[in-house]
């Protein structure tokens, strides 16, 4: 029996067509047992907020759509998604990033040990201004990685790994007091308790541009 994976897409003041691309990349996953949770952290003054909600639920009725009453920040939005998640595993996706079709399936193969809490992969950086792509990861570490991770965040953004939900709950999710490097903080706290693993090939397309980001 396959384990459920909860995919949490956090969005902030993003045009609908960009969010649609992120959702579509989840729907095209080769792993079949996925629930999608969209957490909208846009302020109520954002004129497209309700339009985005209506459009998403019309196209994907099974999506759990959660709208914050006011902007709470990236950490709170991810924690909201975590609280709503029913899966054994969770994977976060920023609203302007995309996954390659085998992202979830291949990362789940990396949970080869009961002590592994997080599996990450390579990623492709897509520069919106130039239209160029490049592989943006050069080093990988598996097992107890805290000593290596403390020097730099080789995991990358929240769009990259798949994580055991129980492990994230054990460390009480994302720290809402942090204004930046929220992902790195979570990776460090997880790595003090659990092993990590990786899939070396790039499975995420990370967009680089000057627009609004949840973080």
């Amino acid at each position: 029996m396959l384990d459920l994976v909860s995919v949490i897409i956090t969005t902030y003041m993003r045009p609908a067509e960009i969010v649609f691309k992120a959702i579509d990349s989840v729907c095209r996953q080769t792993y079949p047992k996925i629930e999608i949770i969209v957490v909208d952290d846009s302020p109520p003054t954002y004129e497209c907020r309700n339009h985005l909600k209506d459009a998403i639920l019309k196209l994907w009725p099974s999506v759990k759509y959660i709208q914050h009453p006011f902007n709470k920040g990236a950490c709170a939005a991810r924690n909201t998604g975590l609280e709503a998640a029913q899966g054994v595993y969770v994977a976060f996706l920023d609203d302007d990033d995309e996954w390659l079709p085998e992202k979830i399936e291949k990362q789940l193969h990396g949970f080869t040990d009961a002590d592994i809490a997080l599996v990450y992969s390579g990623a492709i950086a897509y520069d919106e201004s130039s239209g160029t792509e490049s592989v943006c990861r050069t080093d990988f570490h598996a097992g107890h990685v805290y000593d290596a991770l403390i020097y730099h965040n080789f995991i990358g953004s929240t769009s990259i790994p798949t994580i055991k939900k129980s492990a994230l709950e054990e460390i009480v999710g994302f720290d809402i007091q942090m204004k930046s490097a929220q992902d790195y903080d979570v990776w460090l706290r997880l790595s003090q308790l659990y092993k990590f693993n990786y899939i070396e090939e790039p499975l995420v397309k990370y967009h680089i541009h000057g627009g609004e980001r949840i973080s």
Side-chain angles (χ1 to χ4, degrees), residues 20-71:
F20 291 172
K21 189 180 294 185
I23 295 173
D24 184 61
S25 78
V26 178
C27 293
R28 289 187 288 105
Q29 291 296 299
T30 56
Y31 188 78
K33 198 168 183 180
I34 289 174
E35 69 168 353
I36 301 175
I37 302 166
V38 175
V39 182
D40 189 344
D41 193 47
S42 302
T45 53
Y46 180 51
E47 64 276 8
C48 297
R49 198 164 85 130
N50 288 328
H51 167 71
L52 178 63
K53 176 182 177 181
D54 293 343
I56 286 174
L57 293 179
K58 182 178 180 179
L59 290 168
W60 297 282
S62 63
V63 166
K64 292 183 183 178
Y65 197 98
I66 303 171
Q67 203 173 63
H68 278 171
F70 56 89
N71 173 240

Side-chain angles (χ1 to χ4, degrees), residues 8 12 14 17-18 20 27 53 101 117 120 132 154 198 201:
I8 299 163
Y12 175 76
R14 187 71 67 187
E17 61 271 16
I18 294 179
F20 291 172
C27 293
K53 176 182 177 181
Y120 65 103
T132 58
F154 53 79
Y198 63 86
E201 66 183 286

Side-chain angles (χ1 to χ4, degrees), residues 4 23 38-39 44 69-70 80 83 93-94 104-105 134 140 142 146 203 207:
L4 178 67
I23 295 173
V38 175
V39 182
F70 56 89
T80 294
E83 289 169 6
L93 179 60
D94 284 353
I104 294 295
E105 182 178 3
S134 59
F140 294 88
Y146 179 80
L203 297 171
H207 287 247

Side-chain angles (χ1 to χ4, degrees), residues 7-13 37-43 49 64-85 90-95 158 168 173-178 182 213-215:
V7 175
I8 299 163
I9 300 174
T10 48
T11 185
Y12 175 76
M13 296 180 64
I37 302 166
V38 175
V39 182
D40 189 344
D41 193 47
S42 302
R49 198 164 85 130
K64 292 183 183 178
Y65 197 98
I66 303 171
Q67 203 173 63
H68 278 171
F70 56 89
N71 173 240
K72 296 184 179 183
C75 290
R78 291 174 183 131
N79 287 340
T80 294
L82 181 62
E83 289 169 6
V90 296
F92 298 90
L93 179 60
D94 284 353
D95 56 3
T158 49
L168 266 179
F174 291 81
D175 185 348
I176 63 171
Q177 302 302 319
M178 294 197 70
Q182 305 105 329
R213 289 188 72 90
I214 185 96
S215 56

